[in-house]
Amino acid sequence: MSPMWKVRAIRGATTAENNSLEAMREAISELMIEIEARNQLDYDDVISVIFTATPDLDAAFPAAIARERPHWANVPLLDLQQMKVEGSLEHCIRVLIYFNTTKPANEIYHPYLRKAQNLRPDWSLAQFSRY
């Protein structure tokens, strides 16, 4: 019996040190490397990617930075601005990747890096114990 294909999503987030192209490139590259390595992504199976950034990050489009990476040039990427909520995490970049997979949901790795670890501490701790 062949495995059943499903559309699933990878969530993740990170923070940039400041509002500069260099800081955003460093944070996004680190996040994408973590997603790619831990989920063994086949780029042909990626449907689309949505990035959000908090309003205090306007030095670059996260999707443009991701598109610089190998294999991402032909993937549909979209940037949105994260809602401004009083007291929320600053300089935050989030990602949502839709892809086709045979993996069950509990085998998908959702990285929350840097100060964004505080957004989902339950995932950060549970996922490290699996690897």
Side-chain angles (χ1 to χ4, degrees), residues 9-77:
I10 300 168
R11 291 179 55 190
T14 190
T15 53
E17 289 294 319
N18 56 57
N19 183 30
S20 70
L21 174 61
E22 297 78 22
M24 290 179 70
R25 181 176 281 131
E26 180 183 308
I28 293 165
S29 294
E30 180 183 46
L31 181 62
M32 298 305 286
I33 288 168
E34 187 79 3
I35 288 170
E36 292 167 13
R38 295 290 193 107
N39 289 293
Q40 298 88 40
L41 275 183
D42 182 338
Y43 304 98
D44 289 333
D45 293 335
V46 176
I47 298 166
S48 64
V49 181
I50 299 171
F51 288 95
T52 67
T54 50
D56 55 2
L57 289 177
D58 62 5
F61 291 105
I65 294 170
R67 200 169 280 116
E68 295 172 353
R69 300 190 49 72
H71 312 291
W72 290 97
N74 295 319
V75 174
L77 306 174

